[in-house]
Amino acid sequence: MLKITNPATGKVIAEVLEDNAASIRRKYQLARAAQPLWAATALSKRLACIRKFREQIESRKEELAAILTSEVGKPLQQSRNELNGLLGRIDFFLAETKKTLKTRKVFDQDGMREQIGHEPLGVVANISAWNYPYFVGANVFVPALLAGNAVLYKPSEFATRTGLEIAEMLYESGIPPAIFATVIGAGPAGAALLKQPVDGLFFTGSVATGKAIARALAGRLVKLQLELGGKDPVYVCNDVDVVAAAAGLADGAMYNTGQSCCSVERIYVHASIFDSFVDAFVREVKGFRIGDPTAEGTYIGPLTRAPQARVLEAQIADAKKKGAKVLTGGKRRKVPKLNGVWFEPTVLVGVNHSMAVMRDESFGPIIGIQPVQDDAEAVALMNDTAYGLTAGVYTKDAERAEKLLAQVHAGSVYWNCCDRVSPRLPWSGVGDSGIGLTLSTYGIETFTRPKAWHLRSA
Ligand code: NAD
């Protein structure tokens, strides 16, 4: 049995039956057998199922938010925000799938017609992370199901109840259990799922697991997408409204207790405004309420995975040893009557790229802020990373922003905003942040293979 622990209380709140190699094999076989019928079902019917799924999420939002908070420790309002964001993503897929998957005539002359069709991949595996389980799951399974695929969905072992709720709501909405099957368990369940001859593997999670999966699939010709971690930088230019930029970036660094793939993880500030920016940033961070994630107004919840505290402590110790200074935070915090592990939102200055805190993903509420002399130095430091998920620039000057953002290596770039995902834009990474993409119309097409039709009428 898989034990589900509430990260705030430290108590086991549920025990769930885990899948094993045999049950995963069986689910794969059922999915394989059922998928052609699902692909042959009219798209309007598949859309109707997802529309019903959306209605269920909307009507059960409070209950679903409470479940999410109980297993990942996300502050309740942030759980609600995730569900609201999910509705927007589903709306995008509902609006765009028909147009995107329509067969496109690209040539028609002298009795010769050429057209591009879209066929589902077949049976796809969706291995998911815990930090935004609704977002990262739905980015895959909603368009994959709409495109006619069967999905073997493995929620993170730290977001299992949410995964099971998703499955129940999909079944209630008319999706057959063989077409959307859950694979419950931790890493070994994921590894067993990889052994099935699936037609696509869509993974969201850490770089280490992503690379292990790529190695496991290396000998097979399977479509593979990996959405991995980041060390996302932002450059604050000398012409900004310092207080507004500090407020936006403090939220970008600490929201979801810093456990977002696109959290702001490094900030470079023009030396001429460095001190005033840092003052405003620290003031903002000190205002964040730490505590029980079920209490309204809590902004910083417990770490979802307690061992991550050791990673944060090691990064802080390494930085301090090399000369950095902690301006606020820097340690664990006890919350009365709760046994979880909280980490104080932490701001470090005196940092440089010899320190792990400026190079390795922190995935927690800590941030290093470093001064730069000019735009060229900022670009060089932003690009001095193995990752490339997002990067941002804060400035009043649109031209300067465009010039800077054109030079940074990242899948998404932001001007005067951060920690933002849009269903209308592709979500992808450079380097260790991954391969492939979700969202946008490309993120619908990606669950299909294009078929080239050469049609001569005589
Ligand atoms: P993780 O790599 O520990 O786990 C992800 C999933 O992989 C889980 O379901 C886990 O059970 C499974 N898994 C573990 N070992 C496996 C194996 N050997 N074979 C198959 N499956 C296996 O990651 P996590 O802690 O759940 O997520 C946090 C990471 O995800 C962070 O690095 C974060 O940046 C990243 N992330 C990226 C995005 C993005 O869009 N780029 C979004 C969310 C999270």
Side-chain angles (χ1 to χ4, degrees), residues 127-131 136 154-157 185-187 190-191 194 203-207 209 213 227-230 260-261 305 361 363 389 427 433:
I127 300 183
S128 197
W130 51 262
N131 62 331
V136 298
K154 190 197 138 355
S156 162
E157 59 273 36
L194 295 182
F203 172 79
T204 309
S206 63
V207 175
T209 311
I213 286 176
E227 298 203 341
L228 310 176
S260 307
C261 53
R305 299 188 56 241
E361 189 178 45
F363 221 58
L389 194 58
W427 187 247
S433 290

PDB file of all heavy atoms in Angstrom, residues 127-131 136 154-157 185-187 190-191 194 203-207 209 213 227-230 260-261 305 361 363 389 427 433, ligand 1:
ATOM      1  N   ILE A 127       3.754  10.630 -17.121  1.00  0.00           N
ATOM      2  CA  ILE A 127       4.344  10.533 -15.775  1.00  0.00           C
ATOM      3  C   ILE A 127       4.495  11.955 -15.243  1.00  0.00           C
ATOM      4  O   ILE A 127       5.133  12.804 -15.874  1.00  0.00           O
ATOM      5  CB  ILE A 127       5.708   9.803 -15.810  1.00  0.00           C
ATOM      6  CG1 ILE A 127       5.517   8.381 -16.356  1.00  0.00           C
ATOM      7  CG2 ILE A 127       6.337   9.769 -14.420  1.00  0.00           C
ATOM      8  CD1 ILE A 127       6.778   7.528 -16.378  1.00  0.00           C
ATOM      9  N   SER A 128       3.902  12.177 -14.070  1.00  0.00           N
ATOM     10  CA  SER A 128       3.647  13.550 -13.659  1.00  0.00           C
ATOM     11  C   SER A 128       4.331  13.920 -12.341  1.00  0.00           C
ATOM     12  O   SER A 128       4.687  13.058 -11.541  1.00  0.00           O
ATOM     13  CB  SER A 128       2.124  13.680 -13.532  1.00  0.00           C
ATOM     14  OG  SER A 128       1.743  15.009 -13.510  1.00  0.00           O
ATOM     15  N   ALA A 129       4.491  15.231 -12.118  1.00  0.00           N
ATOM     16  CA  ALA A 129       5.127  15.769 -10.900  1.00  0.00           C
ATOM     17  C   ALA A 129       4.046  16.199  -9.896  1.00  0.00           C
ATOM     18  O   ALA A 129       2.861  16.256 -10.224  1.00  0.00           O
ATOM     19  CB  ALA A 129       6.006  16.959 -11.270  1.00  0.00           C
ATOM     20  N   TRP A 130       4.491  16.557  -8.671  1.00  0.00           N
ATOM     21  CA  TRP A 130       3.524  16.869  -7.615  1.00  0.00           C
ATOM     22  C   TRP A 130       3.283  18.348  -7.423  1.00  0.00           C
ATOM     23  O   TRP A 130       2.345  18.757  -6.756  1.00  0.00           O
ATOM     24  CB  TRP A 130       3.993  16.288  -6.267  1.00  0.00           C
ATOM     25  CG  TRP A 130       5.408  16.641  -5.916  1.00  0.00           C
ATOM     26  CD1 TRP A 130       6.515  15.848  -6.100  1.00  0.00           C
ATOM     27  CD2 TRP A 130       5.906  17.878  -5.377  1.00  0.00           C
ATOM     28  NE1 TRP A 130       7.661  16.512  -5.705  1.00  0.00           N
ATOM     29  CE2 TRP A 130       7.311  17.767  -5.261  1.00  0.00           C
ATOM     30  CE3 TRP A 130       5.301  19.080  -4.982  1.00  0.00           C
ATOM     31  CZ2 TRP A 130       8.121  18.796  -4.772  1.00  0.00           C
ATOM     32  CZ3 TRP A 130       6.106  20.109  -4.498  1.00  0.00           C
ATOM     33  CH2 TRP A 130       7.499  19.959  -4.395  1.00  0.00           C
ATOM     34  N   ASN A 131       4.154  19.204  -7.990  1.00  0.00           N
ATOM     35  CA  ASN A 131       4.100  20.606  -7.550  1.00  0.00           C
ATOM     36  C   ASN A 131       2.907  21.370  -8.108  1.00  0.00           C
ATOM     37  O   ASN A 131       2.377  22.258  -7.439  1.00  0.00           O
ATOM     38  CB  ASN A 131       5.428  21.314  -7.853  1.00  0.00           C
ATOM     39  CG  ASN A 131       5.735  21.363  -9.333  1.00  0.00           C
ATOM     40  OD1 ASN A 131       5.329  20.484 -10.092  1.00  0.00           O
ATOM     41  ND2 ASN A 131       6.443  22.372  -9.751  1.00  0.00           N
ATOM     42  N   VAL A 136       0.310  20.212 -14.691  1.00  0.00           N
ATOM     43  CA  VAL A 136       1.234  19.411 -15.505  1.00  0.00           C
ATOM     44  C   VAL A 136       0.569  18.143 -16.020  1.00  0.00           C
ATOM     45  O   VAL A 136       0.911  17.648 -17.091  1.00  0.00           O
ATOM     46  CB  VAL A 136       2.572  19.107 -14.778  1.00  0.00           C
ATOM     47  CG1 VAL A 136       3.317  20.396 -14.476  1.00  0.00           C
ATOM     48  CG2 VAL A 136       2.399  18.285 -13.531  1.00  0.00           C
ATOM     49  N   LYS A 154       0.425   8.369 -14.649  1.00  0.00           N
ATOM     50  CA  LYS A 154       1.026   8.112 -13.347  1.00  0.00           C
ATOM     51  C   LYS A 154       1.180   9.425 -12.596  1.00  0.00           C
ATOM     52  O   LYS A 154       2.091  10.217 -12.853  1.00  0.00           O
ATOM     53  CB  LYS A 154       2.407   7.444 -13.489  1.00  0.00           C
ATOM     54  CG  LYS A 154       2.870   6.970 -12.127  1.00  0.00           C
ATOM     55  CD  LYS A 154       4.334   6.686 -12.100  1.00  0.00           C
ATOM     56  CE  LYS A 154       5.059   7.159 -10.891  1.00  0.00           C
ATOM     57  NZ  LYS A 154       4.404   7.934  -9.885  1.00  0.00           N
ATOM     58  N   PRO A 155       0.258   9.662 -11.635  1.00  0.00           N
ATOM     59  CA  PRO A 155       0.444  10.862 -10.823  1.00  0.00           C
ATOM     60  C   PRO A 155       1.665  10.672  -9.942  1.00  0.00           C
ATOM     61  O   PRO A 155       2.099   9.539  -9.692  1.00  0.00           O
ATOM     62  CB  PRO A 155      -0.835  10.923  -9.980  1.00  0.00           C
ATOM     63  CG  PRO A 155      -1.369   9.537  -9.950  1.00  0.00           C
ATOM     64  CD  PRO A 155      -0.888   8.849 -11.201  1.00  0.00           C
ATOM     65  N   SER A 156       2.219  11.773  -9.458  1.00  0.00           N
ATOM     66  CA  SER A 156       3.312  11.662  -8.498  1.00  0.00           C
ATOM     67  C   SER A 156       2.802  10.938  -7.256  1.00  0.00           C
ATOM     68  O   SER A 156       1.641  11.092  -6.856  1.00  0.00           O
ATOM     69  CB  SER A 156       3.804  13.056  -8.111  1.00  0.00           C
ATOM     70  OG  SER A 156       4.551  12.979  -6.922  1.00  0.00           O
ATOM     71  N   GLU A 157       3.674  10.195  -6.620  1.00  0.00           N
ATOM     72  CA  GLU A 157       3.299   9.521  -5.364  1.00  0.00           C
ATOM     73  C   GLU A 157       2.950  10.533  -4.276  1.00  0.00           C
ATOM     74  O   GLU A 157       2.333  10.191  -3.281  1.00  0.00           O
ATOM     75  CB  GLU A 157       4.422   8.574  -4.893  1.00  0.00           C
ATOM     76  CG  GLU A 157       5.780   9.220  -4.631  1.00  0.00           C
ATOM     77  CD  GLU A 157       6.663   9.325  -5.875  1.00  0.00           C
ATOM     78  OE1 GLU A 157       6.132   9.559  -6.974  1.00  0.00           O
ATOM     79  OE2 GLU A 157       7.897   9.190  -5.731  1.00  0.00           O
ATOM     80  N   GLY A 185       1.781   4.670  -7.605  1.00  0.00           N
ATOM     81  CA  GLY A 185       3.020   4.232  -6.967  1.00  0.00           C
ATOM     82  C   GLY A 185       4.124   5.259  -7.135  1.00  0.00           C
ATOM     83  O   GLY A 185       3.890   6.347  -7.666  1.00  0.00           O
ATOM     84  N   ALA A 186       5.313   4.906  -6.683  1.00  0.00           N
ATOM     85  CA  ALA A 186       6.456   5.817  -6.753  1.00  0.00           C
ATOM     86  C   ALA A 186       7.336   5.456  -7.965  1.00  0.00           C
ATOM     87  O   ALA A 186       6.831   4.939  -8.969  1.00  0.00           O
ATOM     88  CB  ALA A 186       7.233   5.733  -5.440  1.00  0.00           C
ATOM     89  N   GLY A 187       8.641   5.710  -7.846  1.00  0.00           N
ATOM     90  CA  GLY A 187       9.552   5.474  -8.971  1.00  0.00           C
ATOM     91  C   GLY A 187       9.442   4.096  -9.603  1.00  0.00           C
ATOM     92  O   GLY A 187       9.372   3.982 -10.835  1.00  0.00           O
ATOM     93  N   GLY A 190       6.684   3.892 -11.996  1.00  0.00           N
ATOM     94  CA  GLY A 190       7.028   4.628 -13.217  1.00  0.00           C
ATOM     95  C   GLY A 190       7.952   3.799 -14.101  1.00  0.00           C
ATOM     96  O   GLY A 190       7.770   3.725 -15.316  1.00  0.00           O
ATOM     97  N   ALA A 191       8.938   3.165 -13.469  1.00  0.00           N
ATOM     98  CA  ALA A 191       9.899   2.356 -14.237  1.00  0.00           C
ATOM     99  C   ALA A 191       9.196   1.174 -14.905  1.00  0.00           C
ATOM    100  O   ALA A 191       9.498   0.823 -16.055  1.00  0.00           O
ATOM    101  CB  ALA A 191      11.016   1.879 -13.314  1.00  0.00           C
ATOM    102  N   LEU A 194       7.365   2.300 -17.981  1.00  0.00           N
ATOM    103  CA  LEU A 194       8.269   2.508 -19.132  1.00  0.00           C
ATOM    104  C   LEU A 194       8.508   1.232 -19.914  1.00  0.00           C
ATOM    105  O   LEU A 194       8.853   1.274 -21.095  1.00  0.00           O
ATOM    106  CB  LEU A 194       9.636   3.000 -18.657  1.00  0.00           C
ATOM    107  CG  LEU A 194       9.737   4.362 -17.998  1.00  0.00           C
ATOM    108  CD1 LEU A 194      11.184   4.662 -17.658  1.00  0.00           C
ATOM    109  CD2 LEU A 194       9.197   5.433 -18.920  1.00  0.00           C
ATOM    110  N   PHE A 203       6.751  13.225 -19.852  1.00  0.00           N
ATOM    111  CA  PHE A 203       7.217  13.248 -18.466  1.00  0.00           C
ATOM    112  C   PHE A 203       7.363  14.684 -17.972  1.00  0.00           C
ATOM    113  O   PHE A 203       7.866  15.549 -18.690  1.00  0.00           O
ATOM    114  CB  PHE A 203       8.579  12.544 -18.385  1.00  0.00           C
ATOM    115  CG  PHE A 203       9.250  12.677 -17.047  1.00  0.00           C
ATOM    116  CD1 PHE A 203       8.858  11.885 -15.975  1.00  0.00           C
ATOM    117  CD2 PHE A 203      10.267  13.616 -16.845  1.00  0.00           C
ATOM    118  CE1 PHE A 203       9.479  12.020 -14.730  1.00  0.00           C
ATOM    119  CE2 PHE A 203      10.885  13.748 -15.609  1.00  0.00           C
ATOM    120  CZ  PHE A 203      10.484  12.947 -14.549  1.00  0.00           C
ATOM    121  N   THR A 204       6.958  14.920 -16.733  1.00  0.00           N
ATOM    122  CA  THR A 204       7.264  16.174 -16.045  1.00  0.00           C
ATOM    123  C   THR A 204       7.893  15.817 -14.717  1.00  0.00           C
ATOM    124  O   THR A 204       7.309  15.044 -13.945  1.00  0.00           O
ATOM    125  CB  THR A 204       5.994  17.004 -15.777  1.00  0.00           C
ATOM    126  OG1 THR A 204       5.276  17.129 -16.983  1.00  0.00           O
ATOM    127  CG2 THR A 204       6.351  18.391 -15.262  1.00  0.00           C
ATOM    128  N   GLY A 205       9.064  16.374 -14.437  1.00  0.00           N
ATOM    129  CA  GLY A 205       9.720  16.074 -13.168  1.00  0.00           C
ATOM    130  C   GLY A 205      11.150  16.567 -13.173  1.00  0.00           C
ATOM    131  O   GLY A 205      11.497  17.498 -13.914  1.00  0.00           O
ATOM    132  N   SER A 206      11.976  15.924 -12.366  1.00  0.00           N
ATOM    133  CA  SER A 206      13.343  16.416 -12.172  1.00  0.00           C
ATOM    134  C   SER A 206      14.259  16.021 -13.341  1.00  0.00           C
ATOM    135  O   SER A 206      13.973  15.067 -14.083  1.00  0.00           O
ATOM    136  CB  SER A 206      13.900  15.845 -10.872  1.00  0.00           C
ATOM    137  OG  SER A 206      13.973  14.444 -10.977  1.00  0.00           O
ATOM    138  N   VAL A 207      15.357  16.709 -13.434  1.00  0.00           N
ATOM    139  CA  VAL A 207      16.329  16.427 -14.499  1.00  0.00           C
ATOM    140  C   VAL A 207      16.884  15.012 -14.339  1.00  0.00           C
ATOM    141  O   VAL A 207      17.019  14.271 -15.321  1.00  0.00           O
ATOM    142  CB  VAL A 207      17.480  17.462 -14.455  1.00  0.00           C
ATOM    143  CG1 VAL A 207      18.554  17.112 -15.476  1.00  0.00           C
ATOM    144  CG2 VAL A 207      16.942  18.847 -14.716  1.00  0.00           C
ATOM    145  N   THR A 209      15.556  12.306 -12.987  1.00  0.00           N
ATOM    146  CA  THR A 209      14.610  11.268 -13.433  1.00  0.00           C
ATOM    147  C   THR A 209      14.415  11.353 -14.950  1.00  0.00           C
ATOM    148  O   THR A 209      14.350  10.328 -15.634  1.00  0.00           O
ATOM    149  CB  THR A 209      13.254  11.403 -12.713  1.00  0.00           C
ATOM    150  OG1 THR A 209      13.483  11.522 -11.319  1.00  0.00           O
ATOM    151  CG2 THR A 209      12.367  10.200 -12.968  1.00  0.00           C
ATOM    152  N   ILE A 213      14.985   8.333 -17.560  1.00  0.00           N
ATOM    153  CA  ILE A 213      13.938   7.863 -18.477  1.00  0.00           C
ATOM    154  C   ILE A 213      14.460   7.868 -19.921  1.00  0.00           C
ATOM    155  O   ILE A 213      14.233   6.921 -20.680  1.00  0.00           O
ATOM    156  CB  ILE A 213      12.668   8.739 -18.309  1.00  0.00           C
ATOM    157  CG1 ILE A 213      11.982   8.376 -16.993  1.00  0.00           C
ATOM    158  CG2 ILE A 213      11.728   8.592 -19.492  1.00  0.00           C
ATOM    159  CD1 ILE A 213      10.778   9.210 -16.644  1.00  0.00           C
ATOM    160  N   GLU A 227       9.683  17.526 -19.546  1.00  0.00           N
ATOM    161  CA  GLU A 227       9.574  18.892 -19.014  1.00  0.00           C
ATOM    162  C   GLU A 227      10.238  18.873 -17.649  1.00  0.00           C
ATOM    163  O   GLU A 227       9.706  18.283 -16.694  1.00  0.00           O
ATOM    164  CB  GLU A 227       8.111  19.309 -18.904  1.00  0.00           C
ATOM    165  CG  GLU A 227       7.452  19.321 -20.270  1.00  0.00           C
ATOM    166  CD  GLU A 227       6.237  20.219 -20.345  1.00  0.00           C
ATOM    167  OE1 GLU A 227       5.671  20.571 -19.303  1.00  0.00           O
ATOM    168  OE2 GLU A 227       5.852  20.561 -21.466  1.00  0.00           O
ATOM    169  N   LEU A 228      11.398  19.527 -17.561  1.00  0.00           N
ATOM    170  CA  LEU A 228      12.250  19.334 -16.385  1.00  0.00           C
ATOM    171  C   LEU A 228      12.436  20.631 -15.603  1.00  0.00           C
ATOM    172  O   LEU A 228      11.640  21.549 -15.711  1.00  0.00           O
ATOM    173  CB  LEU A 228      13.587  18.735 -16.853  1.00  0.00           C
ATOM    174  CG  LEU A 228      13.447  17.503 -17.771  1.00  0.00           C
ATOM    175  CD1 LEU A 228      14.804  17.032 -18.268  1.00  0.00           C
ATOM    176  CD2 LEU A 228      12.720  16.371 -17.066  1.00  0.00           C
ATOM    177  N   GLY A 229      13.475  20.668 -14.825  1.00  0.00           N
ATOM    178  CA  GLY A 229      13.655  21.773 -13.882  1.00  0.00           C
ATOM    179  C   GLY A 229      14.181  23.047 -14.515  1.00  0.00           C
ATOM    180  O   GLY A 229      14.313  23.151 -15.740  1.00  0.00           O
ATOM    181  N   GLY A 230      14.472  24.018 -13.655  1.00  0.00           N
ATOM    182  CA  GLY A 230      15.001  25.284 -14.141  1.00  0.00           C
ATOM    183  C   GLY A 230      15.793  25.999 -13.065  1.00  0.00           C
ATOM    184  O   GLY A 230      15.796  25.607 -11.896  1.00  0.00           O
ATOM    185  N   SER A 260       8.093  25.810  -7.804  1.00  0.00           N
ATOM    186  CA  SER A 260       7.554  25.856  -9.164  1.00  0.00           C
ATOM    187  C   SER A 260       8.716  25.678 -10.121  1.00  0.00           C
ATOM    188  O   SER A 260       9.813  26.177  -9.864  1.00  0.00           O
ATOM    189  CB  SER A 260       6.903  27.218  -9.440  1.00  0.00           C
ATOM    190  OG  SER A 260       5.954  27.516  -8.451  1.00  0.00           O
ATOM    191  N   CYS A 261       8.452  24.985 -11.232  1.00  0.00           N
ATOM    192  CA  CYS A 261       9.531  24.812 -12.197  1.00  0.00           C
ATOM    193  C   CYS A 261       9.982  26.165 -12.715  1.00  0.00           C
ATOM    194  O   CYS A 261      11.143  26.340 -13.041  1.00  0.00           O
ATOM    195  CB  CYS A 261       9.083  23.919 -13.347  1.00  0.00           C
ATOM    196  SG  CYS A 261       7.571  24.471 -14.131  1.00  0.00           S
ATOM    197  N   ARG A 305       8.084  18.051   0.277  1.00  0.00           N
ATOM    198  CA  ARG A 305       8.954  16.916   0.563  1.00  0.00           C
ATOM    199  C   ARG A 305       9.999  17.371   1.592  1.00  0.00           C
ATOM    200  O   ARG A 305      10.890  18.169   1.269  1.00  0.00           O
ATOM    201  CB  ARG A 305       9.623  16.429  -0.721  1.00  0.00           C
ATOM    202  CG  ARG A 305       8.574  15.964  -1.759  1.00  0.00           C
ATOM    203  CD  ARG A 305       9.209  15.302  -2.954  1.00  0.00           C
ATOM    204  NE  ARG A 305      10.036  14.204  -2.513  1.00  0.00           N
ATOM    205  CZ  ARG A 305      11.348  14.148  -2.723  1.00  0.00           C
ATOM    206  NH1 ARG A 305      11.953  15.113  -3.359  1.00  0.00           N
ATOM    207  NH2 ARG A 305      12.039  13.108  -2.293  1.00  0.00           N
ATOM    208  N   GLU A 361      19.132  23.975  -9.189  1.00  0.00           N
ATOM    209  CA  GLU A 361      17.733  24.268  -8.846  1.00  0.00           C
ATOM    210  C   GLU A 361      17.559  24.172  -7.331  1.00  0.00           C
ATOM    211  O   GLU A 361      17.998  23.207  -6.709  1.00  0.00           O
ATOM    212  CB  GLU A 361      16.803  23.275  -9.555  1.00  0.00           C
ATOM    213  CG  GLU A 361      15.334  23.650  -9.412  1.00  0.00           C
ATOM    214  CD  GLU A 361      14.396  22.692 -10.166  1.00  0.00           C
ATOM    215  OE1 GLU A 361      14.578  21.462 -10.073  1.00  0.00           O
ATOM    216  OE2 GLU A 361      13.475  23.190 -10.848  1.00  0.00           O
ATOM    217  N   PHE A 363      14.349  24.829  -5.719  1.00  0.00           N
ATOM    218  CA  PHE A 363      13.013  24.273  -5.537  1.00  0.00           C
ATOM    219  C   PHE A 363      12.533  24.452  -4.092  1.00  0.00           C
ATOM    220  O   PHE A 363      12.070  23.522  -3.431  1.00  0.00           O
ATOM    221  CB  PHE A 363      12.977  22.795  -5.937  1.00  0.00           C
ATOM    222  CG  PHE A 363      11.720  22.453  -6.685  1.00  0.00           C
ATOM    223  CD1 PHE A 363      11.387  23.113  -7.856  1.00  0.00           C
ATOM    224  CD2 PHE A 363      10.842  21.484  -6.223  1.00  0.00           C
ATOM    225  CE1 PHE A 363      10.232  22.819  -8.546  1.00  0.00           C
ATOM    226  CE2 PHE A 363       9.671  21.178  -6.910  1.00  0.00           C
ATOM    227  CZ  PHE A 363       9.377  21.857  -8.076  1.00  0.00           C
ATOM    228  N   LEU A 389      14.584  27.247 -18.854  1.00  0.00           N
ATOM    229  CA  LEU A 389      13.125  27.159 -18.895  1.00  0.00           C
ATOM    230  C   LEU A 389      12.524  28.544 -19.160  1.00  0.00           C
ATOM    231  O   LEU A 389      11.873  28.755 -20.179  1.00  0.00           O
ATOM    232  CB  LEU A 389      12.599  26.553 -17.583  1.00  0.00           C
ATOM    233  CG  LEU A 389      11.145  26.100 -17.596  1.00  0.00           C
ATOM    234  CD1 LEU A 389      10.886  25.067 -18.681  1.00  0.00           C
ATOM    235  CD2 LEU A 389      10.738  25.538 -16.236  1.00  0.00           C
ATOM    236  N   TRP A 427       5.017  25.717 -24.047  1.00  0.00           N
ATOM    237  CA  TRP A 427       5.795  25.593 -22.816  1.00  0.00           C
ATOM    238  C   TRP A 427       6.908  24.592 -23.079  1.00  0.00           C
ATOM    239  O   TRP A 427       6.636  23.406 -23.287  1.00  0.00           O
ATOM    240  CB  TRP A 427       4.884  25.115 -21.681  1.00  0.00           C
ATOM    241  CG  TRP A 427       5.552  25.107 -20.345  1.00  0.00           C
ATOM    242  CD1 TRP A 427       5.864  24.024 -19.589  1.00  0.00           C
ATOM    243  CD2 TRP A 427       5.997  26.248 -19.612  1.00  0.00           C
ATOM    244  NE1 TRP A 427       6.475  24.425 -18.431  1.00  0.00           N
ATOM    245  CE2 TRP A 427       6.573  25.786 -18.418  1.00  0.00           C
ATOM    246  CE3 TRP A 427       5.971  27.633 -19.864  1.00  0.00           C
ATOM    247  CZ2 TRP A 427       7.125  26.645 -17.466  1.00  0.00           C
ATOM    248  CZ3 TRP A 427       6.511  28.481 -18.917  1.00  0.00           C
ATOM    249  CH2 TRP A 427       7.080  27.985 -17.737  1.00  0.00           C
ATOM    250  N   SER A 433      16.498  21.818 -19.210  1.00  0.00           N
ATOM    251  CA  SER A 433      15.073  22.040 -18.888  1.00  0.00           C
ATOM    252  C   SER A 433      14.164  21.161 -19.736  1.00  0.00           C
ATOM    253  O   SER A 433      12.939  21.159 -19.504  1.00  0.00           O
ATOM    254  CB  SER A 433      14.713  23.523 -19.040  1.00  0.00           C
ATOM    255  OG  SER A 433      15.336  24.267 -18.015  1.00  0.00           O
TER     256      SER A 433
HETATM  257  P1  NAD B   1      10.621  13.477  -9.814  1.00  0.00           P
HETATM  258  O1  NAD B   1      11.548  13.374 -10.966  1.00  0.00           O
HETATM  259  O2  NAD B   1      11.100  13.066  -8.487  1.00  0.00           O
HETATM  260  O3  NAD B   1       9.288  12.637 -10.081  1.00  0.00           O
HETATM  261  C1  NAD B   1       8.477  12.865 -11.219  1.00  0.00           C
HETATM  262  C2  NAD B   1       7.706  11.591 -11.533  1.00  0.00           C
HETATM  263  O4  NAD B   1       8.602  10.599 -11.991  1.00  0.00           O
HETATM  264  C3  NAD B   1       6.959  11.004 -10.346  1.00  0.00           C
HETATM  265  O5  NAD B   1       5.684  10.581 -10.778  1.00  0.00           O
HETATM  266  C4  NAD B   1       7.846   9.838  -9.933  1.00  0.00           C
HETATM  267  O6  NAD B   1       7.159   8.812  -9.259  1.00  0.00           O
HETATM  268  C5  NAD B   1       8.332   9.361 -11.291  1.00  0.00           C
HETATM  269  N1  NAD B   1       9.568   8.575 -11.278  1.00  0.00           N
HETATM  270  C6  NAD B   1      10.567   8.603 -10.370  1.00  0.00           C
HETATM  271  N2  NAD B   1      11.547   7.740 -10.732  1.00  0.00           N
HETATM  272  C7  NAD B   1      11.164   7.170 -11.894  1.00  0.00           C
HETATM  273  C8  NAD B   1      11.754   6.222 -12.796  1.00  0.00           C
HETATM  274  N3  NAD B   1      12.957   5.678 -12.564  1.00  0.00           N
HETATM  275  N4  NAD B   1      11.077   5.889 -13.911  1.00  0.00           N
HETATM  276  C9  NAD B   1       9.880   6.446 -14.192  1.00  0.00           C
HETATM  277  N5  NAD B   1       9.264   7.333 -13.382  1.00  0.00           N
HETATM  278  C10 NAD B   1       9.907   7.710 -12.256  1.00  0.00           C
HETATM  279  O7  NAD B   1      10.136  15.005  -9.796  1.00  0.00           O
HETATM  280  P2  NAD B   1       9.163  15.724  -8.749  1.00  0.00           P
HETATM  281  O8  NAD B   1       9.879  15.896  -7.453  1.00  0.00           O
HETATM  282  O9  NAD B   1       7.822  15.083  -8.776  1.00  0.00           O
HETATM  283  O10 NAD B   1       8.989  17.157  -9.445  1.00  0.00           O
HETATM  284  C11 NAD B   1       9.823  18.246  -9.207  1.00  0.00           C
HETATM  285  C12 NAD B   1      10.647  18.545 -10.438  1.00  0.00           C
HETATM  286  O11 NAD B   1       9.793  18.697 -11.560  1.00  0.00           O
HETATM  287  C13 NAD B   1      11.396  19.862 -10.330  1.00  0.00           C
HETATM  288  O12 NAD B   1      12.693  19.684 -10.828  1.00  0.00           O
HETATM  289  C14 NAD B   1      10.609  20.797 -11.230  1.00  0.00           C
HETATM  290  O13 NAD B   1      11.357  21.862 -11.753  1.00  0.00           O
HETATM  291  C15 NAD B   1      10.123  19.868 -12.287  1.00  0.00           C
HETATM  292  N6  NAD B   1       8.937  20.392 -12.970  1.00  0.00           N
HETATM  293  C16 NAD B   1       9.057  20.811 -14.260  1.00  0.00           C
HETATM  294  C17 NAD B   1       7.962  21.351 -14.920  1.00  0.00           C
HETATM  295  C18 NAD B   1       8.075  21.851 -16.336  1.00  0.00           C
HETATM  296  O14 NAD B   1       7.051  22.125 -16.928  1.00  0.00           O
HETATM  297  N7  NAD B   1       9.255  21.987 -16.894  1.00  0.00           N
HETATM  298  C19 NAD B   1       6.742  21.433 -14.261  1.00  0.00           C
HETATM  299  C20 NAD B   1       6.646  20.964 -12.951  1.00  0.00           C
HETATM  300  C21 NAD B   1       7.755  20.443 -12.324  1.00  0.00           C
END
